[in-house]
Amino acid sequence: MTATPAPTEVRRSHLAARASAVISVLVVALVAGVLVSSAAGQLPIAITEVIGAFGKGIGIDNAWAPSDDVLYQALWQIRFPRVAMSLLVGAALAVAGAVMQAIFGNPLAEPGVVGVSSGAALGAALAIVSGGALAGVLGTASLAFLGGVGATLLVYVMARSNGRTEVVTLLLTGIAVNAFAGAGLAFVLFAGDTADREQIVFWQLGTLGGSRWHEVAVVAALTVLGVALSLAFARRYDLLALGERTAGHLGLRVERLRIVSIVLVAVLTGAAVAFTGIIAFVGLVVPHAIRMLLGPGHRMLLSASVLGGAVLLVWADLFARTAVQGAELPIGLLTSLIGGPFFFYLLRRARNRQGGWA
Amino acid sequence: MTAAFSARGVTVRIGSATLVADASLDIGHGELVALVGPNGAGKSTLLSVLAGDRAPSAGEVTIDGRAPGDWGPRDLARRRAVLTQDNQVAFPFRVREVVAMGRSPWQGSADDADDDAAIAEALAECDVTHLTERTFTSLSGGERARVSLARVLAQRTPAVLLDEPTAALDLRHQEDVLGVARRLAASGTAVGVVLHDLSLAAAYADRIAVMERGAIAALGTPAEVLEPALLERVYGIGVRLVADPEGGAPIVVPARTR
């Protein structure tokens, strides 16, 4: 008897090959993005010097390290933290999007679209103008987190019925939450002094500029925590796709998973928004692309989204910094420019599938 | 021996509406019990109470002798599987992945190793092996129903509850599905099925519970329960019991004038 592999086996190994191809491409794009983004800018630095400076910084003396201390300081004080921040924020937003889509059972759920980002932004803005202890790094992150929790809870309570969220309800709830958080932000602007206003306006547009290591550390801790938890829940998110009742029949504690996940989304979104403002649509575009390439299984979806989000933002930030000579585009503007039309396309598709909305 | 499912005086009220009124029903291992009745008679509600999804307003329910809430969610999932009417999957998972989700309660148990065999067997039983690599969202209604049933079978529980498993199915697959249910019962599984087709119930069920406005109006073997007078009262339409010319189970048809 010849051992012909069953079609399923063939299919599975095909998928595995595809997954490793996609992951490899993402890793290469990530490393390239990090190097190019560190090297490019008003002060051009050779890629070898970037590698050398990185090696030296982590304690490996090498010949590539830049002899000029200005270059070394520029890399470690300005570019490296910024690149690190872009990786973390991208990963956090992409995973937050994938988790929201899992708990809402709807591929259009995204922190920016449904207002979680605005909620977190409101919290962070309050921290910025309040001065005192709250204005610190931890204070900003905590208030962003609280704002995110509030907004997610609101959307969750308002938009869900029978374990699913209709597209229309979700988007309308998003409009309401965004409007409310927008009003809150406007009030904070109104109440703040000139310096605060300037800071908030730029931060609100979304920017990775001026990231500092102590901010990066806070974002890193929250992102790692959020990503690790979400990966631990990956199999359960798969079950959730069957609907809450059936997921329950399979032994899942649906309500508990949902509540923990809401906190998770708020942690990730809060981490992303606290220091870099609203960078919308990352959580929509990245998981969607990964799902098209690798299918909806959450273990792969979440892991690949970590990479995909990081890749997207490191390249988007590079573009934002270098596209216009001598100026910097807000990265939030850039992601919305790509994400807006993409969202429109998804919406049309969802609508066609459902045969229109009443 | 303890019944797999046991309901004693179960009543379910929502607001002022009584969905299930004082229903008592046992489903033993190795037995196929059909729940029949008109729309809104409370079949699905009673089924969800038996499944442990919903606590009754009065009365009590046990699964293998214990209240559903006393089993942990995972232990419960290892004892009973449920097919709901809502065969939706939110993302385009492949058929194999959907059926494999039925194995999740056994994750980390000694039976974990049976996964591939259980999945393959369930796919074959429900005649969906050829759909293995299709995405669930691309299937027709009947195919979705059969894949969902395969997921329930893959769970390999000693008790199953099926809510209208034949609703979207063609003639042959209706018979196939009840054949599967029959074989489950023959192998010692307790099977509760909500059905609309009384002829199917007559052919495959050991016992039939006829529900009328939330109450169990009659409970017994098909021969005891399928009484034209009773059915006429419950359904509000004249009913004829026709003997199958080839000697099969009686066929239940509405009394038509044309």
Side-chain angles (χ1 to χ4, degrees):
Chain A
M1 211 175 103
T2 48
T4 326
T8 308
E9 302 297 324
V10 174
R11 167 81 213 181
R12 257 192 278 181
S13 63
H14 175 74
L15 250 183
R18 194 169 188 180
S20 44
V22 170
I23 299 277
S24 310
V25 168
L26 285 175
V27 168
V28 170
L30 186 74
V31 173
V34 167
L35 290 177
V36 175
S37 191
S38 305
Q42 283 182 329
L43 178 67
I45 302 174
I47 286 191
T48 48
E49 287 177 314
V50 171
I51 299 171
F54 182 75
K56 188 178 166 195
I58 59 170
I60 307 164
D61 274 319
N62 62 84
W64 280 358
S67 45
D68 187 346
D69 194 51
V70 174
L71 292 188
Y72 183 81
Q73 290 305 328
L75 282 172
W76 276 98
Q77 298 303 318
I78 298 169
R79 299 226 180 129
F80 285 166
R82 178 171 190 152
V83 167
M85 190 65 112
S86 70
L87 301 180
L88 291 167
V89 167
L93 287 173
V95 170
V99 171
M100 279 201 94
Q101 287 147 25
I103 58 172
F104 281 95
N106 190 323
L108 289 169
E110 200 262 349
V113 173
V114 303
V116 177
S117 295
S118 311
L122 177 58
L126 279 173
I128 291 174
V129 294
S130 69
L134 280 178
V137 169
L138 287 176
T140 311
S142 318
L143 278 189
F145 164 72
L146 286 180
V149 170
T152 322
L153 269 178
L154 200 63
V155 177
Y156 177 74
V157 171
M158 303 282 290
R160 272 168 27 87
S161 65
N162 295 325
R164 284 226 167 66
T165 315
E166 301 248 329
V167 176
V168 180
T169 328
L170 184 72
L171 298 184
L172 291 178
T173 312
I175 290 176
V177 175
N178 271 322
F180 183 75
L185 268 174
F187 180 76
V188 173
L189 274 179
F190 169 76
D193 59 34
T194 320
D196 286 341
R197 274 183 204 167
E198 191 136 316
Q199 196 187 349
I200 292 173
V201 165
F202 272 93
W203 166 87
Q204 208 183 337
L205 290 169
T207 177
L208 291 157
S211 300
R212 312 225 204 99
W213 279 120
H214 60 282
E215 295 170 351
V216 171
V218 171
V219 175
L222 295 175
T223 304
V224 167
L225 175 77
V227 168
L229 264 179
S230 73
L231 280 172
F233 294 149
R235 247 185 108 126
R236 293 177 223 184
Y237 290 141
D238 287 349
L239 296 186
L240 224 43
L242 299 172
E244 65 181 291
R245 208 172 144 210
T246 300
H249 292 147
L250 288 166
L252 192 67
R253 293 179 198 265
V254 176
E255 217 43 52
R256 199 167 71 176
L257 178 65
R258 284 246 173 74
I259 287 164
V260 175
S261 298
I262 283 174
V263 176
L264 195 65
V265 166
V267 165
L268 287 167
T269 311
V273 165
F275 306 110
T276 57
I278 298 176
I279 302 176
F281 294 112
V282 176
L284 191 77
V285 176
V286 173
H288 186 82
I290 304 288
R291 236 180 251 122
M292 288 210 305
L293 289 168
L294 301 176
H298 282 89
R299 188 174 299 230
M300 190 51 82
L301 174 65
L302 291 165
S303 332
S305 289
V306 171
L307 282 173
V311 168
L312 179 66
L313 269 208
V314 77
W315 284 99
D317 183 48
L318 174 63
F319 184 77
R321 282 196 299 126
T322 53
V324 181
Q325 195 68 41
E328 193 176 298
L329 288 173
I331 192 171
L333 180 155
L334 207 60
T335 59
S336 293
L337 213 57
I338 308 167
F342 182 76
F343 183 67
F344 186 62
Y345 150 77
L346 280 185
L347 208 56
R348 297 254 334 162
R349 226 183 46 155
R351 180 184 165 163
N352 289 341
R353 196 174 292 156
Q354 295 181 2
W357 294 312
Chain B
M1 191 176 154
T2 335
F5 301 101
S6 175
R8 287 278 160 274
V10 163
T11 298
V12 177
R13 284 186 214 96
I14 292 184
S16 61
T18 303
L19 304 185
V20 174
D22 196 22
S24 296
L25 174 69
D26 282 355
I27 304 177
H29 289 283
E31 183 184 33
L32 197 167
V33 175
L35 292 175
V36 303
N39 297 137
K43 307 181 293 292
S44 295
T45 308
L46 179 57
L47 199 83
S48 68
V49 172
L50 289 175
D53 289 350
R54 177 200 283 275
S57 320
E60 67 172 34
V61 173
T62 60
I63 295 175
D64 285 335
R66 287 165 70 175
D70 292 349
W71 296 105
R74 171 176 289 202
D75 283 334
L76 200 54
R78 288 177 178 183
R79 289 181 179 268
R80 61 97 182 90
V82 186
L83 179 70
T84 63
Q85 288 184 47
D86 173 36
N87 300 312
Q88 297 287 330
V89 176
F91 295 100
F93 280 97
R94 290 183 190 280
V95 165
R96 188 183 191 285
E97 295 173 304
V98 171
V99 176
M101 290 178 196
R103 296 301 300 160
S104 61
W106 300 100
Q107 203 191 345
S109 74
D111 295 312
D112 209 345
D114 298 343
D115 282 1
D116 285 333
I119 293 163
E121 192 187 298
L123 287 166
E125 278 273 18
C126 298
D127 190 27
V128 288
T129 309
H130 61 293
L131 302 174
T132 308
E133 296 308 329
R134 289 269 298 276
T135 56
F136 189 88
T137 38
S138 72
L139 303 179
S140 76
E143 288 169 336
R144 288 180 187 204
R146 276 148 54 204
V147 170
S148 299
L149 179 64
R151 190 203 70 231
V152 166
L153 295 188
Q155 210 171 332
R156 287 202 173 164
T157 49
V160 297
L161 294 171
L162 312 173
D163 197 351
E164 294 194 27
T166 56
L169 301 187
D170 61 46
L171 206 57
R172 181 196 135 195
H173 285 113
Q174 291 191 8
E175 300 294 323
D176 282 357
V177 161
L178 282 163
V180 169
R182 194 62 259 168
R183 279 198 294 283
L184 283 177
S187 67
T189 306
V191 186
V193 194
V194 172
L195 287 176
H196 268 301
D197 187 329
L198 296 173
S199 304
L200 276 176
Y204 289 98
D206 293 308
R207 287 191 301 147
I208 298 178
V210 183
M211 294 196 67
E212 180 187 20
R213 277 180 266 119
I216 294 181
L219 175 64
T221 63
E224 291 164 3
V225 166
L226 295 178
E227 276 277 315
L230 170 77
L231 296 178
E232 183 167 350
R233 191 191 85 215
V234 169
Y235 284 91
I237 182 174
V239 164
R240 292 189 192 123
L241 246 68
V242 182
D244 181 66
E246 305 286 330
I251 298 159
V252 185
V253 290
R256 296 191 183 106
T257 53
R258 52 171 291 167

